[in-house]
Each structure stands twice: as C-alpha cells, then as structure tokens.
C-alpha cells in the first residue's frame, strides 16, 4: 500500500507540474526574468501548492503518525548556514540557465528532448558527485539524534 | 481572477495535494532532489517509496505527453554544453542545500521552515541573476 500511495503521489505531482506550466522552461525563465519580460504567473503555482499543503500538512503532522509508515521523516536541521545558501544559490543559477528544476526535468525527460536529457544526465551526475565527495551514502538520513547529523532529506 | 492564473493555481493545488498524500501516507517530504539523492546507497527499506514516487513522476510525464503534449513542449533550448553545466549545478546545489523547488519551495515553506524560506528566496534570486546575466551577454536562446 505504501508503494501505491507513493506512486500516486508522484503521478499527481507530475500532472500538477504539467498543468501549472512548470514543465515549460520558457515559462520558468520568463518568471525569473525580473529585469526583462517578467511573467509573474508562476507565482500562482507556489501560492496554490503552499496554500493547499500548509493546511493539510499541519493536520497530518498533528495526527500522530502516517498511514503506512512508523513515523514522519522530517529533517532535524534548523540552522541557516552557508551551506544552505551556497547550495541554493548554485541550484538557482542552474535553474535560471536551463529553466529546469529536478521535478519538471524528470517529468519532461519522457519526451526525449536532447537538451532535457543532457540536463537530467548531468543533474544525476551532480548528485552522484556530491555523494562521492562526501563519501557517504544516504543511509544517515534516518539519524535524528543530532542536529548536526546531516539528513539528506530536503527541508 | 484572470484566465492565465487558473492553470498555475490548479497545477499548484495538485502539487500541494500530491505532497500531502506522500506526507500523510508515507510520512515523507515530497522533495524531488531529496527523493533522488537518497537513492544513492539507500537501505532496502528506504528505497521502495523513492522508486515508487519517482516512477509515478515518470508515468505522469507519459500521461502528460499523451493527454496534454503542449505541457512538455520545449520552446527554450540553450546549447547542450550549457544544459550540462546547468544540470551539474542543479544536481550538486540541491544536495548541498538539501532541497529544491519542491522540498524547500513547497513543503518547507508550507511548514514555515526558516531554512526553506531562506533557500527559496536564494534560489529565486540566483535564478533571476542567471537570467539577467544571460540577457546581458546576449544569449540568443532567450528570444
């Protein structure tokens, strides 16, 4: 059952990305083009997603435990540090150059556009590079004991 | 409400529902970069939800290609070499910063996480800077 819900969540997520316009790099770049031909419409994507998720996530997290898992796996990180800002800045530059962030890139990869495929391959390479450089697998992510324990789960 | 905002709002709401389902059912944050990154060296019990979630994402892509092909139309094509550089930055940066548009932008901001709010502002500003510099350099693919 856990696999089915995760699959359905992925499916719904992809449809949301497609409907919202996030899978169209030209639209994303237009949104980031503050000093050119700015197209603010994608703000509505963030607004819609956060409005829905903020309400339901709070209720879910207050409910004790997930349906098909022993506990909620949230990050234990709370500190705003240089690593967070540097990583987000690098990501943002790549996002601005390509108009692609990880979700839309994976969703769009099924259309087999060469530029997108090159991006996805490089993205996976960048992820692997980080893992290799840090020399650790993702297995520390359930370590909740220490704030310094670097959970690999975002946010 | 003007018509151009309907699709982004509806799409955003679907994204919010999807993230909610993953949280409520699987107890997981719907961060794409985290879901992918965690696959590297994941333990047996930690792999299934990631594979299923990402599988659903790809099947969703196929569904879009069939039902709404305009959603996947690429009218923006930087040179392949630049796409590779961008991909490396996105891959490495999201791991260093522990999240991307979904994990920080949607899930973290929804939880009012300070880290995620800082991350989201940072990557939007960095993205805007990248577009600005591309424009200044006369990047032809910007149109």
């Amino acid at each position: 059952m856990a696999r089915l819900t995760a699959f359905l969540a992925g499916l719904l997520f992809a449809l949301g990305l497609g409907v919202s316009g996030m899978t169209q790099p030209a639209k994303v770049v237009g949104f980031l083009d503050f000093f050119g031909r700015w197209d603010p419409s994608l703000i509505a994507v963030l607004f819609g997603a956060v409005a829905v998720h903020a309400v339901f996530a709070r209720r879910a997290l207050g409910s004790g435990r997930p349906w098909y898992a022993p506990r909620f796996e949230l990050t234990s990180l709370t500190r705003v540090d240089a690593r967070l800002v540097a990583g987000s800045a690098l990501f943002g530059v790549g996002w601005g150059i390509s108009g692609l962030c990880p979700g839309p890139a994976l969703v769009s990869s099924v259309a087999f556009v060469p530029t997108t495929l090159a991006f996805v391959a490089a993205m996976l390479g960048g992820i692997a590079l980080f893992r290799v450089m840090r020399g650790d697998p993702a297995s520390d992510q359930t370590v909740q004991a220490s704030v310094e324990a670097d959970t690999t789960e975002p946010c | 409400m003007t018509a151009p905002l309907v699709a982004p709002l509806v799409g955003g709401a679907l994204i919010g529902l999807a993230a909610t389902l993953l949280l409520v059912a699987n107890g997981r944050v719907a961060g794409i970069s985290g879901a992918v990154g965690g696959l590297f060296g994941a333990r047996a019990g930690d792999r299934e939800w990631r594979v299923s979630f990402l599988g659903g994402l790809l099947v969703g892509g196929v569904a879009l290609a069939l039902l709404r092909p305009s959603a996947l139309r690429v009218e923006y094509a930087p040179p392949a070499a630049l796409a590779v550089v961008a991909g490396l930055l996105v891959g490495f940066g999201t791991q260093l910063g522990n999240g991307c548009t979904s994990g920080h932008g949607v899930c973290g901001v929804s939880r009012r996480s300070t880290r995620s709010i800082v991350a989201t502002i940072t990557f939007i500003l960095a993205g805007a800077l990248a577009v600005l510099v591309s424009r200044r350099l006369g990047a032809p693919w910007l149109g």
Side-chain angles (χ1 to χ4, degrees):
Chain A
M1 206 56 193
R3 287 185 200 205
L4 180 65
T5 53
F7 175 83
L8 289 176
L11 184 69
L12 195 59
F13 205 105
L15 296 180
L17 287 172
V19 170
S20 70
M22 288 293 289
T23 50
Q24 293 164 264
K27 259 187 124 54
V28 173
V29 170
F31 167 66
L32 293 172
D33 199 2
F34 292 170
F35 308 100
R37 275 169 296 194
W38 189 41
D39 168 14
S41 65
L42 290 191
I43 289 177
V45 182
L46 192 60
F47 181 83
V50 168
V52 168
H53 193 55
V55 173
F56 289 119
R58 177 162 312 177
R59 291 183 59 169
L61 292 172
S63 70
R65 54 165 285 186
W67 298 340
Y68 309 117
R71 63 187 166 275
F72 292 106
E73 305 280 353
L74 299 173
T75 183
S76 55
L77 298 174
T78 54
R79 210 153 42 97
V80 173
D81 53 15
R83 186 185 142 169
L84 175 80
V85 174
S88 299
L90 291 177
F91 160 49
V93 169
W95 188 37
I97 291 174
S98 60
L100 288 167
C101 55
L106 288 175
V107 171
S108 309
S109 68
V110 303
F112 291 97
V113 175
T115 313
T116 310
L117 292 179
F119 175 92
V120 169
M123 179 179 85
L124 296 176
I127 292 172
L129 179 68
F130 178 82
R131 301 282 159 187
V132 169
M133 276 177 59
R134 235 184 20 164
D136 89 325
S139 54
D140 64 349
Q141 70 184 309
T142 48
V143 175
Q144 299 280 330
S146 160
V147 175
E148 289 307 309
D150 174 27
T151 60
T152 51
E153 222 48 48
C155 88
Chain B
M1 188 193 298
T2 51
L5 289 184
V6 174
L9 268 179
V10 171
L14 289 177
I15 292 168
L17 284 176
T20 300
L21 177 60
L22 195 69
L23 185 69
V24 170
N26 299 76
R28 292 289 180 165
V29 171
I32 311 293
S33 60
V36 176
L39 274 177
F40 288 80
R43 285 172 298 103
D46 187 47
R47 189 174 312 231
E48 288 77 8
W49 78 270
R50 297 176 192 277
V51 172
S52 303
F53 179 62
L54 296 169
L57 208 62
L58 293 178
V59 171
V62 173
L64 285 169
L66 295 173
L67 302 173
R68 198 180 157 103
S70 62
L72 301 186
R73 198 180 300 136
V74 178
E75 288 163 341
Y76 178 80
L82 208 52
V84 167
V85 171
L88 282 170
L89 288 170
V90 169
F92 192 88
T94 53
Q95 301 307 303
L96 187 65
N98 291 85
C100 60
T101 350
S102 50
H104 281 311
V106 175
C107 300
V109 169
S110 292
R111 292 196 294 116
R112 289 189 235 164
S113 149
T114 309
R115 271 175 62 84
S116 290
I117 291 167
V118 170
T120 303
I121 292 170
T122 303
F123 61 65
I124 288 177
L125 289 180
L129 186 66
V131 174
L132 177 67
V133 170
S134 303
R135 275 218 180 284
R136 286 292 154 86
L137 294 177
W141 60 88
L142 277 171

